[in-house]
Amino acid sequence: MCEITPKKRLYCNERQREVEFDVVVEVYRRGATEPYLFAIFECKNYSGSVPETEVTEFSDKLSSIARNGAKGVLVVSSTLQSGAKQLAKSRNIGVAKFSAAGIEFVAERRNRAAAERYLFGSKPKRKELKFSAFYDGSYYGCIADLISGLDGHTQLPDGHAESQASSAPYLTRKQLAEEARKLHEEIGYSEGLVDLNAACDHLDVRLVHREPTDADLLGSADFKAREIRVFPDTNGRRQRFTIAHELGHFWLSHDRYLRCDSVFDDDVIHEDQGEKTRLYDRLEYQANEFASSLLLPYECFDRQLAKWRATLGIIDRGFGYVFVDDQIDNLRTFHELLGVLSTYFDVSKQMITVTMTKRGLLNDQRKLPQAPMKRIFLALRPTSRNGSSPQGRG
């Protein structure tokens, strides 16, 4: 068992008085009245890198309390300066980093590279890990594992177990589309908008709306509570993608590797890098691909695309099933196509574009910037069409 005390005061022989530590965990052997291990945590909330002096001060405080089995861990919100990092290692001071909005790995100790980048990297990824720690040459993904590793003898709390697998299986885009099709079948989907509430109910996942802890955060998932949380957002289509993304984690049993997940606006960038993809990137790629296939069911998407190609007079003149370049007529037709498909499936035009590109249905030869308002206005403004172009109108 253990006893956790914030702002705990311990007697210092050198100073002849008590000194305060941020958090002290006292670990007891079964039946013992005195703790045999003190895990002492000192927290430093720096906007920049933590300097070497903080490690020195913490180390001196630890040595002065003259407690056998006292292990120190410095908890930071940023990173350590290079000198501080080396001093912590040489004095056997642990380092931990925590982010309330991050994601938590179950098998983090086996995914050392991600933990090391998160703790000591100069350019951390946009989406942080929730917790990662380093002590005496080992990396840990949760506090229970860290305390267990402080002396190698502490038993993990009841119910805690490391992941049985070190890496999620590699799944191709076709396999992920098939997984989404299975869920469509189980919720009785046949045509039109995919009912994500029905998918949540089928998977026994609760969907709740909450205020975000980060302005850029779109949603999150708690796998133990089986809960998906989405946050107020004027763009309902992003909410649908967020829900579908988290459903992908649940359906693909990613709770074997994650305890929680967060979705930010730039999370659609994860691409398939083959079987050597790092664990976290692989999980995010799989969730994104599953979400895309869930929101844009293959057969229904193909039918709607064929229907609107015919309606808009799009003809394959040897340039591709759907062709777009910088000609105004082609831009106008392409944006009309994106508009009707995105409305039908209630997804973003970007998702429609990416899906068509990945499936080889779009030949996108646009060279000029796509954002200027004048070009978009010209593309969408109704005008008479004369002549023909590679996009083709019958």
Side-chain angles (χ1 to χ4, degrees), residues 263-313:
V263 181
F264 290 89
D265 201 18
D266 57 2
D267 282 333
V268 295
I269 63 174
H270 291 275
E271 293 293 333
D272 183 12
Q273 299 175 13
E275 297 191 30
K276 295 184 179 180
T277 309
R278 293 188 179 96
L279 173 61
Y280 175 64
D281 290 330
R282 179 176 294 185
L283 299 178
E284 287 301 282
Y285 165 74
Q286 290 182 2
N288 282 344
E289 279 297 317
F290 180 91
S292 178
S293 295
L294 183 67
L295 296 171
L296 298 174
Y298 262 46
E299 293 182 1
C300 183
F301 181 78
D302 287 347
R303 286 194 297 271
Q304 289 298 313
L305 179 57
K307 169 188 171 182
W308 285 103
R309 280 181 77 250
T311 301
L312 296 172

Side-chain angles (χ1 to χ4, degrees), residues 208-227:
V208 298
H209 292 78
R210 291 187 178 177
E211 290 297 323
T213 56
D214 185 313
D216 297 324
L217 191 61
L218 299 180
S220 65
D222 184 324
F223 297 105
K224 184 176 181 180
R226 298 197 67 78
E227 184 174 273

Side-chain angles (χ1 to χ4, degrees), residues 326 331 366-373 375-376:
D326 292 309
L331 283 172
R366 289 174 290 181
K367 306 296 182 185
L368 298 176
Q370 301 171 27
M373 291 305 297
R375 290 190 59 77
I376 295 176

Side-chain angles (χ1 to χ4, degrees), residues 335-394:
H335 279 282
E336 286 182 57
L337 179 65
L338 292 182
V340 293
L341 291 175
S342 65
T343 298
Y344 184 86
F345 291 103
D346 199 13
V347 300
S348 68
K349 292 181 179 180
Q350 179 189 17
M351 181 176 288
I352 299 290
T353 303
V354 170
T355 297
M356 286 197 294
T357 300
K358 286 181 176 179
R359 294 185 55 194
L361 301 172
L362 173 64
N363 180 7
D364 190 344
Q365 294 298 317
R366 289 174 290 181
K367 306 296 182 185
L368 298 176
Q370 301 171 27
M373 291 305 297
K374 183 177 180 180
R375 290 190 59 77
I376 295 176
F377 173 75
L378 289 174
L380 298 178
R381 185 178 62 184
T383 60
S384 60
R385 298 181 176 85
N386 296 312
S388 62
S389 65
Q391 177 69 22
R393 285 235 176 190

Side-chain angles (χ1 to χ4, degrees), residues 36 38 57 135 179 200 212 248 259 266 275 297 315 326 374:
Y36 83 98
F38 290 83
E57 181 181 350
Y135 182 80
E179 291 299 320
C200 288
R259 286 195 178 87
D266 57 2
E275 297 191 30
I315 301 172
D326 292 309
K374 183 177 180 180

